[in-house]
Amino acid sequence: MTMEEAIHSVRGADRGALEQALSHWDRVAKPLNSLGVLEEDIVRIAGASGSHHISIDKKAIVVMCADNGIVEEGVTQTGQEVTAIVAGNMGKGCSCVCLMAEKAGAKVIPVDVGMNCCGEIPGVIPEKVSMGTKNFLREPAMSREQTVMAMEAGIRIAEGLKSRGYNLAGSGEMGIGNTTTSSAVLSVLLDQDPGQVTGRGAGLTAEGYKRKIRVIKDGIALHRPDREDPVDVLSKVGGLDLAALAGFYIGCGAVGLPVVIDGLITGAAALAAVGICPPVKDYLLASHISAEPAGAMVLKALGLKPAIQAGMCLGEGTGAAALFPLLDMAAVVYDRMSSFEEIHVEQYEHLK
């Protein structure tokens, strides 16, 4: 699907499935709403998948990998070469998210949409648009055409998951410098001063942190990205990983695949996706509140409730990996727990 085709294919949540799932939870023999956000997530999965019969037995975490030219400005502790190293470890199944996903029964699928390296990396899906982005303090990060190309790569990945029978997706990213690009995107989309949405990322000195905020402010002032046009925002101050994630979320909406976002960076991409195609919001689940300053802000803007608050900020899709076992537990209660009728106990009622 092209981006336009995918956008036009996205429908809101199936209201019938939502209502049936809510009604089913009310009949489960336990106090009402006692699993909190996990119950709400199961209902969201029903609405996204179009059925109150929940199946989340086949899960994958898609990790979009790309490099960012803005690292030239000293906004990171490490160099771009780390992106390919970590992606290679994902391909071999030995990165943080892979180890967590193995315990959660999920497959990790790393995708190269723009790493600054030559040749294919074993175990990493090649979807390279360019060898990283430009330095957005000097010129736009990428062209609009490149942004759309990255988004359509994400859509293809979503289509592939659906065709292979996956029924729950997670999402993550790997790209040195992408806390800078995501903070820039969020500054525009949330209409917030960069100082309010920018954190230290993987670790910066006080001076490095000030420089990071200044770089974001100056880049936004130079390019004046249009808040009403998220594709413009992504192309001017974003990254290929963010664009691919935004396309992935739109693609998940188009094929009816519920998808878990991770932290700040995936949240920025999700906010862009929802700005482009509002019904996509119905297909998103939040895993945790990122420890980054804008973590809570982006979830509030998306209208999502996280199930986990653990001070996480690792990225890679580790939030999705952490949430998957909790969703499995909620799903088994939803599916196998006796009803009030079956145990001959009067059903709880919602009190006003």
Side-chain angles (χ1 to χ4, degrees):
M1 280 186 283
T2 65
M3 185 173 76
E4 289 304 317
E5 289 170 339
I7 290 170
H8 290 305
S9 298
V10 181
R11 301 288 181 266
D14 185 312
R15 294 296 153 189
L18 285 173
E19 290 171 6
Q20 288 175 301
L22 283 167
S23 177
H24 181 82
W25 270 128
D26 286 350
R27 294 193 299 274
V28 172
K30 63 170 189 57
L32 295 173
N33 307 319
S34 52
L35 289 179
V37 175
L38 296 177
E39 290 191 33
E40 296 177 30
D41 283 348
I42 294 297
V43 172
R44 290 184 72 84
I45 290 170
S49 60
S51 172
H52 72 285
H53 296 292
I54 301 300
S55 178
I56 53 172
D57 59 314
K58 191 171 183 180
K59 299 180 281 289
I61 300 172
V62 172
V63 185
M64 298 300 183
C65 307
D67 280 305
N68 300 281
I70 198 63
V71 300
E72 294 174 356
E73 302 301 326
V75 295
T76 62
Q77 209 179 58
T78 56
Q80 287 188 348
E81 68 279 358
V82 174
T83 303
I85 292 170
V86 176
N89 285 338
M90 289 179 188
K92 290 183 284 190
C94 59
S95 75
C96 289
V97 68
C98 295
L99 298 175
M100 292 173 67
E102 182 181 358
K103 285 293 183 183
K107 180 178 177 62
V108 174
I109 302 174
V111 183
D112 175 9
V113 287
M115 289 193 293
N116 188 18
C117 61
C118 297
E120 295 184 11
I121 297 176
V124 179
I125 295 176
E127 285 280 1
K128 195 189 299 285
V129 174
S130 69
M131 302 275 282
T133 58
K134 306 295 185 183
N135 180 345
F136 73 66
L137 195 58
R138 302 177 186 175
E139 56 188 307
M142 51 192 160
S143 69
R144 192 177 184 95
E145 291 74 21
Q146 287 175 317
T147 307
V148 172
M149 286 174 65
M151 293 181 72
E152 291 182 342
I155 292 167
R156 285 193 294 275
I157 297 297
E159 289 181 290
L161 290 188
K162 185 70 172 182
S163 69
R164 296 196 300 276
Y166 286 95
N167 41 37
L168 181 62
S171 56
E173 40 59 43
M174 181 59 219
I176 299 302
N178 62 9
T179 61
T180 300
T181 56
S182 56
S183 294
V185 167
L186 286 175
S187 176
V188 177
L189 295 181
L190 294 174
D191 195 22
Q192 293 285 329
D193 182 270
Q196 299 300 308
V197 297
T198 304
R200 292 176 183 255
L204 287 172
T205 63
E207 180 55 40
Y209 177 52
K210 291 177 184 177
R211 180 168 57 249
K212 183 177 180 180
I213 293 173
R214 186 169 62 249
V215 163
I216 293 170
K217 283 185 177 180
D218 291 348
I220 291 171
L222 174 65
H223 301 300
R224 301 172 63 85
D226 182 1
R227 183 185 177 200
E228 303 302 317
D229 181 3
V231 176
D232 184 65
V233 179
L234 289 169
S235 67
K236 288 178 175 175
V237 296
L240 290 159
D241 51 353
L242 295 177
L245 282 166
F248 180 63
Y249 299 136
I250 292 170
C252 285
V255 299
L257 182 64
V259 56
V260 178
I261 65 172
D262 187 8
L264 180 83
I265 298 159
T266 57
L271 195 61
V274 171
I276 295 165
C277 181
V280 166
K281 182 170 70 172
D282 289 347
Y283 296 84
L284 304 175
L285 294 88
S287 55
H288 70 106
I289 301 178
S290 170
E292 287 283 307
M297 278 188 265
V298 69
L299 292 183
K300 182 179 180 181
L302 288 167
L304 297 177
K305 294 182 184 178
I308 301 169
Q309 186 166 346
M312 295 172 65
C313 56
L314 175 58
E316 295 186 21
T318 51
L323 180 62
F324 281 169
L326 296 176
L327 292 177
D328 283 335
M329 293 177 207
V332 77
V333 172
Y334 175 90
D335 187 49
R336 291 169 49 187
M337 184 75 179
S338 300
S339 68
F340 286 105
E341 182 179 8
E342 288 168 335
I343 64 172
H344 308 292
V345 171
E346 186 175 353
Q347 184 170 324
Y348 283 104
E349 294 182 5
H350 291 276
L351 301 178
K352 297 182 179 179

